[in-house]
């Protein structure tokens, strides 16, 4: 009910909670990254990009590469659902043109040495010491989770999706 009050959407909005101690976090070699939170399925779109909330160690961060990753992954699933062909990365503009966006609230927990955070009144910017590693790990965690619950995500994941920061399919 609280989520409906915040987003302005009725109980139609469904977020699935990521399981605690998920498999990808346990397989994280250095065991210094973990993810908690909830995300909507591609089959449950929202008409606005305003419901992607990302936190690092419990602190909200400004939009950046992690937000772009979440929206891009979700946009690829939207391509499958709408019958558009898969021709590489989906831009945020393409997702916007379809008026379909995800909702999520994700908290990345990590060792403080992995992140440089600038939390001042005008900025909530983070810089990871190894962005490619963090983005590849997050992509794998999200793909594995979404593929278990969404036929569209499973279809995209089956294509051995490759990105500048790693392979998410498998």
């Amino acid at each position: 009910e609280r989520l409906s009050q915040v987003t302005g959407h009725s109980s139609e909005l469904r977020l699935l909670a990521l399981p605690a101690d998920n498999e990808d976090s346990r397989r994280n070699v250095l065991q210094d990254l973990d993810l908690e939170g909830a995300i909507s399925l591609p089959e449950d779109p929202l008409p606005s990009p305003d419901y992607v909330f990302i936190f690092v160690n419990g602190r909200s961060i400004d939009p950046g590469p992690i937000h772009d990753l979440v929206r891009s992954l979700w946009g690829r699933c939207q391509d499958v659902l709408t019958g558009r062909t898969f021709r590489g990365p989906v831009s945020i503009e393409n997702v916007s043109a379809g008026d379909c966006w995800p909702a999520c609230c994700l908290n990345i927990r990590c060792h403080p040495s992995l992140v440089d955070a600038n939390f001042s009144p005008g900025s909530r910017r983070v810089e990871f010491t190894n962005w490619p590693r963090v983005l590849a790990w997050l992509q794998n965690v999200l793909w594995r989770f979404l593929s278990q619950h969404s036929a569209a995500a499973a279809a995209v994941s089956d294509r051995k999706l490759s990105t500048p920061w790693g392979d998410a399919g498998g």
Side-chain angles (χ1 to χ4, degrees):
E1 184 176 317
R2 177 68 181 134
L3 187 58
S4 296
Q5 292 170 345
V6 170
T7 64
H9 293 276
S10 68
S11 60
E12 305 295 317
L13 179 61
R14 296 180 316 148
L15 296 180
L16 292 179
L18 292 159
D21 298 321
N22 63 67
E23 176 182 329
D24 291 285
S25 291
R26 285 194 302 273
R27 288 188 302 155
N28 178 10
V29 176
L30 299 177
Q31 303 214 352
D32 52 7
L33 293 168
D34 195 16
L35 182 67
E36 61 188 355
I39 190 166
S40 63
L41 295 179
E43 291 83 356
D44 298 322
L46 289 175
S48 169
D50 298 333
Y51 306 106
V52 176
F53 302 99
I54 309 291
F55 299 83
V56 173
N57 292 336
R59 299 187 77 168
S60 176
I61 64 171
D62 287 336
I66 296 171
H67 293 74
D68 294 344
L69 170 71
V70 170
R71 288 180 177 149
S72 177
L73 296 178
W74 216 84
R76 291 168 193 254
C77 295
Q78 286 300 308
D79 274 355
V80 169
L81 290 170
T82 60
R84 291 183 290 219
T85 59
F86 184 79
R87 295 186 185 141
V90 175
S91 69
I92 291 175
E93 291 79 20
N94 288 348
V95 177
S96 179
D99 292 324
C100 296
W101 294 88
C104 69
C105 183
L106 303 173
N107 182 39
I108 298 171
R109 293 184 307 219
C110 64
H111 191 275
S113 66
L114 295 179
V115 64
D116 177 25
N118 177 13
F119 292 107
S120 62
S123 175
R124 298 169 299 160
R125 187 177 55 85
V126 298
E127 290 295 331
F128 283 94
T129 56
N130 188 341
W131 270 111
R133 177 177 170 254
V134 171
L135 293 173
W137 165 80
L138 180 60
Q139 178 175 277
N140 281 321
V141 171
L142 291 175
W143 270 133
R144 288 183 190 279
F145 177 74
L146 287 174
S147 294
Q148 293 173 357
H149 301 282
S150 164
V156 173
S157 184
D158 286 346
R159 296 177 183 175
K160 292 286 188 183
L161 177 65
S162 181
T163 66
W165 48 79
D167 178 9

